[in-house]
């Protein structure tokens, strides 16, 4: 995932995050429907659950996504990424394991770093060799301390740092519209899975990118 993947400057791409606890059998048709309708650039498998369930999900998502030349990463599980032929990992603890993941997965793997609200952690991850950094939550939320990433952080990063930046967490139409000119990817998942029609919900959100 690099800035070169974009079709035009500051045109964000869709980064889909799977539901927590999703079962491979039931998730397959939904994922296929989304990929048939929307231009997903990368899929991230949430890392919660036992290894057998995660392995089945990894195999399912890889088969569906790779047939469409879409990259697949998984939260934190370096061994599962290797075992199931995924494209890399998304590290949820910032910069700490970026160099280790690179050593284990190789130069061609996608190594992403979730850096929360911390610009400093993002810079550390980029310096360590992360392929992208993600800041969250990008939208307004009542969870935790209620803090969200200032929009200025994304604008600054996009202007000053070459490593692509992902906005995620509590994304709504207003946040997506406001950030579309300053981010490389929107990571969307929890915002849609609880909706009656996740595909419709995702389509409505994605229309805010212009």
């Amino acid at each position: 995932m690099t800035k070169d993947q974009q079709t035009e400057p500051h045109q964000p791409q869709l980064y889909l995050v799977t539901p927590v606890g999703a079962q491979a059998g039931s998730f397959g048709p939904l994922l296929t429907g989304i990929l048939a309708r929307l231009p997903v650039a990368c899929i991230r498998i949430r890392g919660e659950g036992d290894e057998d369930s995660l392995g089945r999900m990894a195999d399912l998502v890889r088969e569906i996504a790779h047939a469409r030349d879409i990259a697949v990463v998984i939260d934190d599980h370096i061994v599962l990424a290797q075992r199931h032929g995924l494209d890399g990992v998304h590290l949820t603890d910032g910069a700490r394991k970026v160099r280790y993941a690179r050593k284990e997965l190789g130069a061609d793997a996608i190594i992403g770093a979730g850096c929360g609200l911390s610009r400093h952690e993002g810079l550390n991850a980029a310096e360590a060799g992360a392929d992208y950094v993600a800041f969250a939550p990008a939208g307004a939320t009542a969870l935790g301390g209620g803090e969200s990433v200032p929009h200025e952080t994304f604008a600054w990063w996009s202007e000053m740092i070459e490593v692509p930046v992902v906005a995620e967490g509590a994304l709504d139409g207003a946040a997506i519209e406001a950030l579309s000119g300053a981010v490389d990817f929107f990571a969307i998942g929890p915002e849609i899975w609880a909706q009656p029609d996740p595909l419709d919900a995702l389509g409505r959100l994605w229309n805010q990118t212009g």
Side-chain angles (χ1 to χ4, degrees):
M1 293 170 66
T2 69
K3 290 183 184 290
D4 291 340
Q5 285 181 287
Q6 299 181 72
T7 57
E8 56 186 80
H10 297 302
Q11 179 62 39
Q13 296 191 73
L14 176 56
Y15 176 131
L16 186 68
V17 183
T18 67
V20 173
Q23 298 300 308
S26 58
F27 185 62
L30 178 55
L31 178 61
T32 299
I34 289 173
L35 299 186
R37 293 266 302 275
L38 292 166
V40 176
C42 184
I43 301 169
R44 184 167 100 220
I45 299 169
R46 293 292 297 268
E48 294 89 343
D50 63 86
E51 286 198 4
D52 287 343
S53 297
L54 287 173
R56 287 192 291 272
M57 178 63 78
D59 287 339
L60 171 86
V61 174
R62 185 200 67 241
E63 181 178 354
I64 294 172
H66 282 186
R68 296 162 174 80
D69 294 322
I70 298 169
V72 181
V73 300
I74 188 170
D75 281 348
D76 298 318
H77 289 276
I78 294 171
V79 171
L80 288 181
Q82 292 172 314
R83 184 183 301 162
H84 294 276
L86 306 184
D87 298 285
V89 292
H90 174 87
L91 303 172
T92 58
D93 57 356
R96 290 179 55 200
K97 298 177 183 174
V98 170
R99 287 190 172 90
Y100 173 74
R102 179 67 66 200
K103 179 181 176 182
E104 293 296 307
L105 296 176
D108 294 333
I110 297 171
I111 311 295
C115 298
L117 301 165
S118 175
R119 184 187 299 189
H120 177 71
E121 190 69 18
L123 289 170
N124 287 341
E127 183 179 356
D131 293 296
Y132 69 86
V133 301
F135 294 116
T141 177
L143 299 176
E147 293 183 86
S148 58
V149 184
H151 288 187
E152 292 79 7
T153 295
F154 293 103
W156 175 86
W157 188 280
S158 182
E159 181 178 352
M160 302 299 295
I161 309 298
E162 183 65 25
V163 174
V165 62
V166 178
E168 70 172 301
L171 290 168
D172 58 15
I176 288 175
E177 185 174 10
L179 290 170
S180 286
V183 305
D184 300 291
F185 299 88
F186 284 109
I188 299 175
E191 297 87 350
I192 64 170
W193 301 126
Q195 300 300 315
D197 186 341
L199 176 54
D200 178 68
L202 180 57
R204 285 186 279 107
L205 273 179
W206 197 243
N207 282 339
Q208 301 302 312
T209 65

